[in-house]
């Protein structure tokens, strides 16, 4: 029995809970709605504010979905993966591979942990996405909230994400709300009409699907090779990067042209590229190397031309610099990593000259 099979079997209650919520609103693997989990406090702040301003705002379905979200969130946070790792290693080596070293076991356990956390994040993001859209729809149809929404230029807004930067002053709430479930139920049951209503929100709102989600997953799976993403958590990478694309190039195909203006960062997924300045070749880019990051950072013209030396697969993406004020700590890692990458490239260039 593999480590993953053993863990799935031994901690089946976690998988069972994930499967329940995965199937609750028929969440498919290719649905990606964005990062609502990291702004859950802001979403709930708005909700509590709306409830204070309109005494009839809260209803049964809101409360049920709110309890669902907070209960699952609290449960996911309560999972002690370090303890599970230690306990399961002891059990696994007693029954299966007695000679398996702890370091080797931990490597496989990390994959299991990553998959579990990724599924919880996805489920919670989708539930929050539904809750947020439902909240704003009802807010826009509340007569008692009309003046507040109009005075704050929030009328006809559809999601909290749409206004999170422009109305950051609203989020510094003077009231400290407690976000605890009224009834902590890990498997909330919805009536059929409630499920249909919530699923309609999921199906009719704009959701990124298919290739965009797969590309994000590929990027996260390979982040250990992408030096500028070092020490940045997966959940923040979803914030940080956008427009992820994979493209195949044949030998001599142009990837970047000297003098062009664009802000994409590139990562050589497979193959090899050459770097030329003018008519002179100045270097090569090997597999799993990043390039183009400095022009993207200072928004300058491309300083070199990049062409494929052989069939190559290149991943490109944009960095959402506009989010700096919201997540400055993440950008501190990004800028540190880019600076370190620049120092390495300058040192390599000097070593070649001398």
């Amino acid at each position: 029995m593999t480590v993953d099979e053993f863990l799935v079997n031994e901690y089946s209650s976690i998988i069972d809970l994930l499967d329940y919520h995965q199937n609750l609103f028929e969440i498919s693997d290719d649905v990606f709605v964005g990062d609502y989990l990291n702004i859950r406090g802001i979403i709930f702040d708005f909700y509590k504010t709306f409830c204070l301003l309109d005494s009839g705002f809260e209803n049964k379905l809101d409360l049920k979905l709110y309890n669902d979200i907070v209960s699952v969130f609290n449960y996911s946070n309560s999972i002690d993966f370090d303890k599970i790792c230690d306990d399961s290693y002891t059990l696994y080596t007693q029954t299966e591979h007695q000679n398996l070293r702890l370091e080797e076991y931990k490597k496989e356990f990390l994959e299991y942990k990553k998959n579990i956390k990724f599924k919880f994040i996805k489920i919670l993001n989708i539930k929050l996405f539904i809750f947020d859209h439902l909240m704003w729809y009802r807010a826009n149809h509340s007569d008692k909230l009309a003046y507040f929404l109009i005075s704050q230029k929030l009328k006809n807004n559809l999601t909290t994400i749409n206004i999170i930067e422009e109305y950051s002053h609203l989020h510094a709430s003077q009231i400290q709300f407690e976000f605890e479930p009224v009834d902590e139920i890990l498997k909330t049951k919805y009536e059929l009409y409630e499920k249909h209503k919530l699923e309609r929100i999921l199906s009719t709102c704009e959701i990124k699907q298919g290739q965009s989600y797969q590309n994000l997953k590929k990027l996260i799976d390979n982040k250990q090779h992408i030096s500028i993403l070092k020490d940045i958590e997966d959940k923040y990478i979803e914030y940080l990067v956008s427009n992820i694309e994979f493209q195949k190039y044949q030998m001599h195909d142009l990837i970047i042209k000297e003098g062009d203006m664009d802000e994409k960062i590139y990562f050589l997924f497979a193959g090899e590229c050459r770097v030329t300045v003018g008519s002179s070749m100045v270097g090569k880019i090997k597999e799993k190397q990043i390039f183009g990051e400095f022009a993207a950072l200072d928004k300058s013209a491309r300083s070199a031309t990049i062409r494929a030396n052989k069939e190559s697969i290149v991943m490109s993406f944009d960095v959402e610099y506009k989010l700096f004020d919201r997540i400055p700590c993440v950008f501190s890692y990004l800028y540190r990593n880019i600076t370190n990458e620049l120092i390495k490239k300058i040192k390599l260039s000097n070593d070649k000259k001398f």
Side-chain angles (χ1 to χ4, degrees), residues 46-268:
F46 270 117
Y47 182 70
K48 294 292 186 182
T49 301
F50 294 160
C51 289
L52 286 173
L53 295 173
D54 180 355
S55 59
F57 189 78
E58 187 175 71
N59 66 20
K60 180 184 173 183
L61 183 55
D62 293 340
L63 191 59
K64 188 178 282 191
L65 185 54
Y66 169 83
N67 271 286
D68 184 2
I69 293 166
V70 181
S71 297
V72 174
F73 177 77
N74 287 349
Y75 175 80
S76 67
N77 272 2
S78 73
I79 299 173
D80 188 342
F81 284 104
D82 290 336
K83 187 175 187 306
I84 289 176
C85 183
D86 292 339
D87 292 348
S88 61
Y89 173 70
T90 303
L91 285 170
Y92 188 68
T93 51
Q94 284 174 350
T95 57
E96 297 285 338
H97 301 275
Q98 286 84 359
N99 297 323
L100 182 66
R101 291 187 302 147
L102 180 59
E103 293 75 16
E104 295 172 352
Y105 183 82
K106 281 184 174 179
K107 285 181 183 177
E108 296 195 52
F109 181 84
L110 282 173
E111 193 62 30
Y112 164 82
K113 174 184 173 181
K114 185 174 78 171
N115 289 334
I116 293 292
K117 293 187 81 171
F118 194 84
K119 286 178 180 178
F120 270 118
I121 289 169
K122 184 184 177 100
I123 287 165
L124 286 165
N125 269 324
I126 288 175
K127 287 178 185 288
L128 281 159
F129 172 90
I130 295 171
F131 183 90
D132 193 52
H133 279 76
L134 180 62
M135 173 183 76
W136 282 103
Y137 174 82
R138 293 184 52 241
N140 279 298
H141 289 81
S142 166
D143 293 337
K144 292 182 179 179
L145 291 176
Y147 177 76
F148 171 77
L149 295 178
I150 292 169
S151 65
Q152 299 297 331
K153 299 180 181 177
L154 295 170
K155 189 68 176 168
N156 298 321
N157 176 61
L158 297 177
T159 70
T160 301
I161 283 178
N162 289 346
I163 51 88
I164 201 166
E165 291 177 51
E166 294 84 348
Y167 294 93
S168 57
H169 63 285
L170 290 175
H171 306 148
S173 176
Q174 300 302 307
I175 304 172
Q176 296 301 308
F177 295 120
E178 292 293 329
F179 302 119
E180 293 296 330
V182 176
D183 299 303
E184 193 149 353
I185 302 170
L186 284 177
K187 291 185 176 180
T188 301
K189 297 190 183 298
Y190 294 88
E191 300 293 338
L192 189 60
Y193 75 91
E194 292 175 326
K195 278 187 65 177
H196 286 168
K197 183 173 184 178
L198 298 179
E199 285 169 353
R200 252 195 330 270
I201 294 171
L202 191 60
S203 64
T204 57
C205 294
E206 185 179 353
I207 301 175
K208 297 178 185 176
Q209 293 183 331
Q211 198 59 48
S212 61
Y213 170 73
Q214 295 301 325
N215 288 351
L216 174 67
K217 193 170 184 309
K218 279 185 188 177
L219 183 145
I220 289 174
D221 287 345
N222 286 275
K223 75 169 188 176
Q224 72 270 24
H225 302 297
I226 306 175
S227 57
I228 68 167
L229 298 180
K230 182 182 177 183
D231 298 327
I232 299 177
E233 293 181 52
D234 294 357
K235 62 183 180 181
Y236 290 122
I237 291 174
E238 292 185 31
Y239 256 135
L240 198 62
V241 304
S242 62
N243 302 323
I244 306 165
E245 295 178 351
F246 283 80
Q247 190 162 345
K248 183 181 286 188
Y249 294 91
Q250 301 302 322
M251 184 183 290
H252 307 311
D253 280 356
L254 178 68
I255 301 170
I256 293 178
K257 184 178 179 182
E258 185 178 353
D260 277 359
M261 299 291 295
D262 79 82
E263 296 179 14
K264 282 193 173 296
I265 294 174
Y266 297 84
F267 175 72
L268 185 57

